[in-house]
Amino acid sequence: MRPIIKDDLSSRACCHHEDQPSHAVGIDADAVYTCPMHPEIRQKGPGTCPKCGMALEPVVVTAQEEESRELKDMRRRFWASLAMTLPILALAMGSMLVAPFVSPRLSIWIQFALATPVVLWAGWTFFQRCWLSFKNLSPNMFTLIAIGTGSAYLYSVVATFLPRLLPESFRGEGGMVEVYYEAAAVITTLVLLGQVLELKARSRTSGAIRALLGLAPKTARRLKADGSDEEVSLDLIVPGDRVRVRPGERVPVDGLVLEGASAVDESMVTGESIPVEKTVGNRVTGGTVNGTGGFVMKAEKVGGETLLAQIVRMVAQAQRSRAPIQRLADVVSFYFVPGVVLIAVATFVIWAWVGPEPRFTYALVNAVAVLIIACPCALGLATPMSIMVGTGKGATAGVLMKDAEALEVLEKVDTLVADKTGTLTRGKPTLASLQSLDGTPPEEILRLAAGLENGSEHPLASAICEAAEGRAIPLPKAENFQAVTGQGVTAVIEGKAVSLGNEKMLASRKIDFFAGGDLAQKVNALRREGQTVVFLAREKKLLGLLGVKDPIKEGSREAIAALHGAGLRIVMLTGDNETTAQAVARELGIDEVIANVSPDAKGAVIRSLKSKGRIVAMAGDGVNDAPALAEAHVGIAMGAGTDIAMESAGVTLVKGDLRGIVRAIHLSRATMRNIRQNLFFAFFYNFLGVPVAAGALYPAFGLLLSPIFASAAMSFSSVSVIANALRLRRSVL
């Protein structure tokens, strides 16, 4: 199979098709496979990576954990080889026991008959991968395995059929040339066992995606026109359908509650264990679990548009990305295999030159041991396995990593810049103060302000409009509406120009807004309480002021304390004035406040912090703060229900809560610590193993490492790396 090295396949493999079953959560079932160590390698159908020889894995993970064909084949080969290898071991290792029944010559022939299918059939896949490594100029672990087992087997075949071709120095006691069929067979069997264990362990790294896929129910109860409901396949649900959700059922799709109320467990997608109360007008997310109440909802997003589908796509993308730390392993692996081959050649030459008799036998055995014990596979697996498990673990806690680089950089962050509105606060301000400055009735001030703000999408506008709606005040029609960035809004109401905004807005219209004497004191008092004050003016006359307060988001204080404990400096960035911002900062214990910042200037603030040597993470809503999110070392988008901006930052929090940042940092640090453990293990293993296999301990202690033990150590080193990576699944975030 020819590998396809194309990045566009990743998007094609994860695209959404309209005719696709919604329970597939938007993942195209095109059978594209990739390599966990070399994600740029992609091909249709299963196979092996031409660079490292590992079995390719499907890009798309299905909800059902199906055993791979590769694993089935390796298991079949292993059991067959084990059945033939045990008699070989008995003949080779138990010569005293079998001597009365089997002559040495017959023993060699039996070993040849049993070892040949083990090496040439059960181990044939290793020779195929070795050939591909030479063909693609990418030597890997299978290069070493094939050279080692092939050398031992071919030497034994020559010793069996053409012993006279070998010099006298190859002969042992009794004049017979010793054979190493047991070494070739046992090495092949142990490597096959290692492959079986590795493939089983690797399949577990996709457990997080399978768990997410399993959240989507297969059916839904759709309401008919007469009010009755019918159970239909989920792929038949379309936006606008009314769906009944009974107690204990999973919410089938994303939508809006129309009738009823209940508490919904959203822990599977947000990481929060406390159920969330849902009433009419609240949004619910597909895959979450309804509590004891029942409700009717309107389907809004189905199939690949649901939040769950977006999470699955993002996790799959992150798991196949490469962390910068992987470059170290890549560089080492590139030179490692050729270096091991040279060490094996040097081992053979030295033992054949100065070793004890029979010299060439010792030379061959030790050279094979060097080739077998060296395992670049463990080195290559160290990073991608941890990334796969770590990003999957994060998804179950509501922390989505866009790629492995974001996961790595987040560990180094020492400064968190947080937008105030919607990040530290709820983002849903309420009207807290309403004062007349010239005798205009407060209801009239609210009427004009709400009529003006009715055309605005600013959070302050919704607070003013909701206050007018709560007092049943009819709104006037606003004409020539204009929003001025960083100042406020203007329009013509009932034939007169009306303005609502901050001091900059009034100053630009040459309105003396502090003409009222003690007005400045009133304004500052409101701001010290954390209120954002806006002024209402008609023509050139100041009518009154409105104070809007955005409550602190639940969990913000706890999160700020935890972030301080993690060693981060917290900077609040806001377009509010200094007094209001400082009030919020005092309440939360924030280190630094940068106020009066327009949206287009936030990126400059991030650049300034970076120029001081700070490693900066920016937390914002992912839309208005997009320039700053992109400018930061790591952008953190604060999700809000299904309106999540997944493409705006390196990290996305499904629930817009600062405690998610704490989880993300803990996840990053745990994952990077796990990667370093894996890399240390792989380096240290080879640093000790190769010299011992070469015979470094023989002069002092008379110790040699058998190729059989070298094979066992090599096989289980890769499994150990994966087992260590799987420990991340038990991390507490």
Side-chain angles (χ1 to χ4, degrees):
M1 298 180 184
R2 290 180 301 169
I4 302 173
I5 306 178
K6 272 188 171 182
D7 291 336
D8 61 336
L9 271 175
S10 61
S11 59
R12 184 159 59 86
C14 294
C15 64
H16 172 62
H17 295 288
E18 295 298 328
D19 57 352
Q20 180 179 10
S22 56
H23 61 76
V25 287
I27 302 295
D28 185 1
D30 191 10
V32 178
Y33 284 68
T34 186
C35 174
M37 286 170 57
H38 302 94
E40 72 276 10
I41 302 297
R42 291 171 182 260
Q43 70 176 36
K44 288 189 177 181
T48 56
C49 175
K51 288 189 174 182
C52 65
M54 289 177 58
L56 300 180
E57 297 177 347
V59 171
V60 178
V61 179
T62 58
Q64 292 75 30
E65 185 172 359
E66 299 177 357
E67 192 173 71
S68 70
R69 285 189 286 178
E70 181 78 14
L71 177 55
K72 290 179 181 178
D73 181 58
M74 286 292 180
R75 183 185 287 116
R76 178 167 52 91
R77 292 173 185 268
F78 164 70
W79 286 113
S81 65
L82 180 64
M84 290 180 280
T85 299
L86 290 176
I88 298 174
L89 269 178
L91 290 169
M93 311 299 290
S95 56
M96 296 295 293
L97 297 176
V98 299
F101 311 100
V102 181
S103 67
R105 192 65 186 167
L106 180 59
S107 173
I108 291 175
W109 281 101
I110 294 174
Q111 290 182 54
F112 165 75
L114 293 173
T116 298
V118 172
V119 175
L120 299 185
W121 172 74
W124 184 247
T125 182
F126 304 147
F127 293 102
Q128 288 179 316
R129 296 178 184 184
C130 175
W131 167 246
L132 282 176
S133 72
F134 284 119
K135 183 179 177 181
N136 293 284
L137 300 178
S138 298
N140 52 58
M141 66 172 288
F142 297 104
T143 311
L144 304 179
I145 292 168
I147 293 175
T149 56
S151 299
Y153 176 76
L154 289 175
Y155 168 80
S156 300
V157 169
V158 172
T160 301
F161 291 94
L162 301 169
R164 295 180 181 178
L165 294 181
L166 300 174
E168 287 296 323
S169 59
F170 276 61
R171 302 181 186 278
E173 294 182 10
M176 295 190 63
V177 179
E178 191 169 354
V179 294
Y180 293 96
Y181 289 120
E182 87 283 358
V186 172
I187 289 170
T188 301
T189 302
L190 287 174
V191 173
L192 286 168
L193 175 60
Q195 288 292 291
V196 170
L197 295 176
E198 179 185 319
L199 288 167
K200 285 180 67 69
R202 279 166 56 186
S203 68
R204 295 171 61 194
T205 61
S206 299
I209 293 185
R210 287 195 179 93
L212 290 170
L213 287 168
L215 297 179
K218 302 298 184 291
T219 61
R221 304 193 70 83
R222 183 173 61 189
L223 267 66
K224 296 189 288 189
D226 60 3
S228 62
D229 56 66
E230 58 178 345
E231 188 170 3
V232 299
S233 176
L234 198 60
D235 61 302
L236 298 179
I237 301 297
V238 298
D241 281 351
R242 293 187 304 153
V243 178
R244 186 183 304 280
V245 183
R246 298 182 298 185
E249 291 183 339
R250 289 194 183 275
V251 178
V253 294
D254 296 357
L256 197 69
V257 177
L258 299 178
E259 303 172 15
S262 184
V264 178
D265 181 1
E266 298 182 331
S267 61
M268 291 75 72
V269 292
T270 66
E272 295 291 339
S273 58
I274 301 175
V276 181
E277 294 292 331
K278 300 291 183 179
T279 58
V280 175
N282 292 147
R283 283 186 163 78
V284 289
T285 304
T288 55
V289 180
N290 184 26
T292 56
F295 57 87
V296 174
M297 62 175 289
K298 181 177 74 172
E300 292 186 330
K301 294 183 179 180
V302 302
E305 301 301 318
T306 63
L307 175 64
L308 184 59
Q310 295 179 62
I311 291 175
V312 170
R313 283 198 295 270
M314 195 167 187
V315 173
Q317 174 186 340
Q319 288 187 341
R320 302 303 179 194
S321 61
R322 292 169 67 82
I325 197 173
Q326 177 69 27
R327 294 171 192 152
L328 172 63
D330 290 343
V331 171
V332 173
S333 295
F334 181 79
Y335 296 103
F336 184 78
V337 174
V340 169
V341 173
L342 291 176
I343 293 173
V345 171
T347 299
F348 183 90
V349 171
I350 292 173
W351 277 93
W353 181 29
V354 299
E357 295 294 346
R359 295 179 183 177
F360 284 93
T361 299
Y362 277 108
L364 176 66
V365 170
N366 291 321
V368 169
V370 169
L371 291 170
I372 296 302
I373 198 169
C375 183
C377 185
L379 187 62
L381 285 171
T383 298
M385 290 298 104
S386 297
I387 293 296
M388 289 185 72
V389 179
T391 52
K393 173 66 178 179
T396 62
V399 178
L400 306 179
M401 297 290 171
K402 187 175 183 180
D403 50 39
E405 183 175 1
L407 183 65
E408 179 175 341
V409 174
L410 188 60
E411 179 206 26
K412 306 170 186 174
V413 166
D414 55 25
T415 302
L416 173 66
V417 178
D419 179 51
K420 180 175 78 71
T421 304
T423 301
L424 298 170
T425 62
R426 294 180 184 174
K428 293 185 178 181
T430 57
L431 184 65
S433 302
L434 178 61
Q435 297 183 25
S436 173
L437 300 177
D438 70 339
T440 302
E443 288 76 11
E444 175 65 9
I445 293 174
L446 184 57
R447 185 182 77 91
L448 292 173
L452 187 60
E453 291 281 33
N454 197 35
S456 173
E457 296 180 355
H458 195 279
L460 297 182
S462 62
I464 294 172
C465 292
E466 286 178 6
E469 183 180 353
R471 302 186 189 187
I473 297 176
L475 303 185
K477 182 179 179 181
E479 300 175 337
N480 299 328
F481 175 85
Q482 182 181 5
V484 182
T485 302
Q487 296 186 15
V489 294
T490 64
V492 175
I493 296 178
E494 297 168 347
K496 296 184 178 180
V498 180
S499 303
L500 182 70
N502 55 23
E503 289 93 330
K504 294 179 182 178
M505 168 69 77
L506 301 181
S508 66
R509 281 152 181 74
K510 299 181 180 178
I511 299 173
D512 187 3
F513 47 90
F514 284 150
D518 63 345
L519 178 58
Q521 295 180 1
K522 291 181 180 180
V523 170
N524 288 331
L526 294 176
R527 287 174 174 168
R528 282 193 294 271
E529 295 175 4
Q531 296 185 34
T532 299
V533 179
V534 291
F535 302 90
L536 179 72
R538 183 164 53 192
E539 299 294 343
K540 296 291 184 179
K541 185 178 182 182
L542 188 62
L543 301 183
L545 60 82
L546 300 90
V548 178
K549 187 169 184 178
D550 190 3
I552 299 295
K553 187 179 290 186
E554 181 183 359
S556 289
R557 295 180 185 84
E558 173 191 344
I560 294 295
L563 290 168
H564 279 146
L568 271 70
R569 178 177 176 81
I570 314 299
V571 178
M572 185 174 75
L573 200 59
T574 179
D576 252 341
N577 67 82
E578 184 75 23
T579 305
T580 302
Q582 289 290 352
V584 176
R586 281 194 302 272
E587 190 172 352
L588 291 176
I590 288 173
D591 302 300
E592 182 181 354
V593 174
I594 303 177
N596 297 307
V597 180
S598 60
D600 55 352
K602 290 182 178 180
V605 173
I606 301 297
R607 286 192 294 273
S608 174
L609 290 170
K610 288 168 64 178
S611 68
K612 298 175 183 177
R614 312 293 293 184
I615 307 298
V616 182
M618 169 70 190
D621 63 11
V623 179
N624 296 330
D625 301 312
L629 289 169
E631 185 65 42
H633 290 101
V634 182
I636 303 174
M638 309 293 287
T642 56
D643 299 323
I644 194 166
M646 290 190 172
E647 296 301 322
S648 60
V651 181
T652 300
L653 306 180
V654 176
K655 186 176 181 181
D657 189 327
L658 275 184
R659 287 173 293 191
I661 300 179
V662 179
R663 293 194 193 100
I665 290 174
H666 286 167
L667 173 67
S668 173
R669 292 179 177 179
T671 303
M672 296 309 300
R673 184 167 56 248
N674 191 270
I675 289 174
R676 293 188 184 98
Q677 291 168 353
N678 284 345
L679 289 173
F680 172 80
F681 177 80
F683 280 123
F684 187 72
Y685 164 83
N686 285 294
F687 178 76
L688 289 183
V690 172
V692 172
L697 298 180
Y698 186 81
F701 304 101
L703 295 178
L704 290 175
L705 184 65
S706 166
I708 293 175
F709 289 108
S711 175
M714 182 276 297
S715 297
F716 287 103
S717 64
S718 298
V719 178
S720 299
V721 164
I722 299 175
N724 187 53
L726 288 172
R727 290 193 308 110
L728 285 170
R729 300 195 304 180
R730 299 192 296 272
S731 299
V732 179
L733 300 184

